[in-house]
Amino acid sequence: MAECIAALFPQAEIFTLVASPEGLPETLTHRKVHTSFLQKIPLARRQHRHFLPFYPAATERMDLRGFDLVLSSDSGPVKGVRLSQGATHICYCHSPMRYLWDGYEAYRQNMRGLTRLAFTATAGSVRRWDAAAASQVSHFLANSHYVAQRIQRCYGREADVLPPPIDLHRAASVAGETPGEHYLCAGRLVGYKRTEILIEACQRMNRRLRIAGTGPEETRLRKMAEGDARIEFMGELSNEELWREYARCRALLFAADEDFGMVPLEAQACGRPVIAYGVGGSLETVRGARHAGEATDETTGTYFDEQTPTAIAEAIQLWEMSMEGIFDPQAARRWASQFATPLFLERYRAFVLSKMPAAAEVCAPVAEAAATVLH
């Protein structure tokens, strides 16, 4: 996302709390990048949530006075940067910080010892600061209607909706792959992704499941599937390998309550269906049917209504017996094409210029920005 915004404004300086050289997109390596004092603390780059009490101070010390237009890509605290009076701040919000708001209790329960004590003691004050910082934003963009509702609930602010972009060029590069009989789940192995219920459902159904990704839940999940040849952990894959996995799977399984969810769209861009938990972002990224009678040749997947192995197993069975036969890979590709990078760039550019027409002088044409991002 930051790469897309930066491509539209090629002269813009970049401000971020922390940055790792290996995590910086190639197109941004030549940019002037400013970081906060947290950059000097090595652990802050990897364990950023442990430094929650320092977010307000780190953000407020990022001085952007002198800039008339500030564009942020935010799921954290950067709404609170210091601005000149009268400056326009357009915030593309991926989500209000879940560990401060809706997901506070779940994150807290997964913490231990001093980390949990510190988080409990400081989360309330940082939450209040976050809400106050949101009041300084001129205009909000949300990545989904689901997140727009959360912005309204948490911050009391209205947000326009602009879905994020996907790279259809990568999907085109795997168009010749042949789907297999196995299912796929992909993404960070963290608690809220609920990978364990996907594993149990496939074990019950005697289905093969390939798991792409790493994360703190990996050890527990591997132990859960130990000795079961049907469950295969592939670790962290390159972009090229991941897109091939999308194209080769029978269907993607997706159990998370996501704010948006790029993975289901990427799988559909490769012509593969998605069996997803039917809440949140999945309702906006998957054209799913809950019953056989709802399915058409434009259906790109099915939903399950509970995060349980039983609900997932029933959804797999419904898909295989009643929907898979009429699934059209081209319908999935057509649906995903509505989220193409050039379309995002065009819509984002139009939104910014509608709020600050003078920015046209420094804003790159869509074709030029797309060529930079899709190099």
Side-chain angles (χ1 to χ4, degrees):
M1 177 59 64
E3 189 177 11
C4 285
I5 296 173
L8 282 169
F9 294 88
Q11 305 305 317
E13 298 179 29
I14 296 173
F15 291 76
T16 180
L17 292 184
V18 294
S20 298
E22 63 274 13
L24 203 64
E26 183 181 345
T27 58
L28 301 183
T29 54
H30 67 287
R31 295 292 189 94
K32 187 172 184 179
V33 178
H34 305 264
T35 56
S36 72
F37 67 77
L38 293 178
Q39 181 74 12
K40 299 177 182 179
I41 306 175
L43 282 177
R45 302 180 200 176
R46 291 181 176 270
Q47 304 291 335
H48 57 93
R49 286 173 187 153
H50 292 288
F51 290 82
L52 178 73
F54 302 101
Y55 281 4
T59 303
E60 290 175 349
R61 290 186 187 181
M62 297 178 69
D63 191 349
L64 277 71
R65 289 176 297 181
F67 294 95
D68 295 326
L69 175 63
V70 173
L71 306 171
S72 61
S73 174
D74 178 58
S75 57
V78 299
K79 296 177 290 296
V81 294
R82 297 172 67 189
L83 303 175
S84 298
Q85 186 174 1
T88 297
H89 180 184
I90 298 174
C91 175
Y92 188 98
C93 184
H94 303 274
S95 175
M97 287 185 280
R98 281 201 167 213
Y99 41 96
L100 283 181
W101 298 94
D102 299 37
Y104 167 76
E105 195 56 44
Y107 279 100
R108 181 178 174 275
Q109 288 177 358
N110 286 329
M111 294 177 178
R112 297 290 182 271
L114 292 176
T115 299
R116 181 170 178 171
L117 287 173
F119 179 77
T120 303
T122 59
S125 61
V126 180
R127 188 184 302 114
R128 290 188 291 273
W129 175 88
D130 186 49
S135 69
Q136 302 175 40
V137 171
S138 308
H139 309 283
F140 272 102
L141 281 169
N143 62 1
S144 66
H145 292 280
Y146 188 46
V147 167
Q149 292 168 3
R150 296 184 68 237
I151 291 171
Q152 174 63 53
R153 186 167 64 252
C154 297
Y155 301 145
R157 297 291 304 276
E158 297 292 329
D160 289 87
V161 176
L162 176 58
I166 61 172
D167 187 352
L168 296 181
H169 286 62
R170 295 192 184 277
S173 71
V174 296
E177 298 287 346
T178 301
E181 291 298 315
H182 63 276
Y183 289 93
L184 173 72
C185 75
R188 285 273 294 161
L189 300 182
V190 292
Y192 84 92
K193 298 285 188 178
R194 302 305 307 273
T195 307
E196 75 280 2
I197 61 178
L198 299 179
I199 292 173
E200 187 172 340
C202 287
Q203 289 174 326
R204 290 187 187 182
M205 295 286 290
N206 193 28
R207 300 295 189 270
R208 289 179 56 212
L209 176 66
R210 289 164 67 87
I211 301 171
T214 60
E217 290 283 290
E218 184 173 358
T219 300
R220 182 177 74 87
L221 294 171
R222 283 183 178 273
K223 186 174 182 180
M224 175 181 175
E226 190 174 5
D228 191 338
R230 298 167 298 185
I231 311 300
E232 180 182 355
F233 289 83
M234 295 180 287
E236 187 171 357
L237 304 180
S238 67
N239 282 328
E240 293 76 14
E241 291 169 332
L242 177 59
W243 283 80
R244 281 197 295 271
E245 288 298 327
Y246 287 143
R248 291 171 177 171
C249 73
R250 185 172 185 175
L252 176 82
L253 303 183
F254 194 74
D257 174 0
E258 281 283 14
D259 301 313
F260 181 76
M262 297 294 287
V263 167
L265 272 177
E266 290 172 349
Q268 290 168 93
C270 296
R272 305 315 305 141
V274 180
I275 299 174
Y277 181 37
V279 300
S282 293
L283 297 176
E284 301 178 47
T285 59
V286 182
R287 299 185 72 174
R290 284 185 165 84
H291 308 287
E294 298 176 352
T296 71
D297 56 4
E298 293 297 313
T299 298
T300 65
T302 189
Y303 300 125
F304 51 92
D305 294 325
E306 298 177 350
Q307 288 176 306
T308 64
T310 298
I312 296 167
E314 289 174 351
I316 291 172
Q317 185 176 37
L318 173 66
W319 178 258
E320 293 179 353
M321 295 183 64
S322 304
M323 299 183 189
E324 192 172 36
I326 63 170
F327 171 68
D328 180 4
Q330 291 304 322
R333 295 187 179 101
R334 285 194 299 272
W335 169 247
S337 70
Q338 299 179 56
F339 302 84
T341 297
L343 291 177
F344 169 83
L345 292 168
E346 180 181 337
R347 294 162 184 164
Y348 185 88
R349 187 181 193 275
F351 183 88
V352 172
L353 297 187
S354 74
K355 305 304 179 184
M356 181 175 272
E361 297 180 9
V362 294
C363 188
V366 169
E368 180 181 315
T372 300
V373 175
L374 302 174
H375 62 285

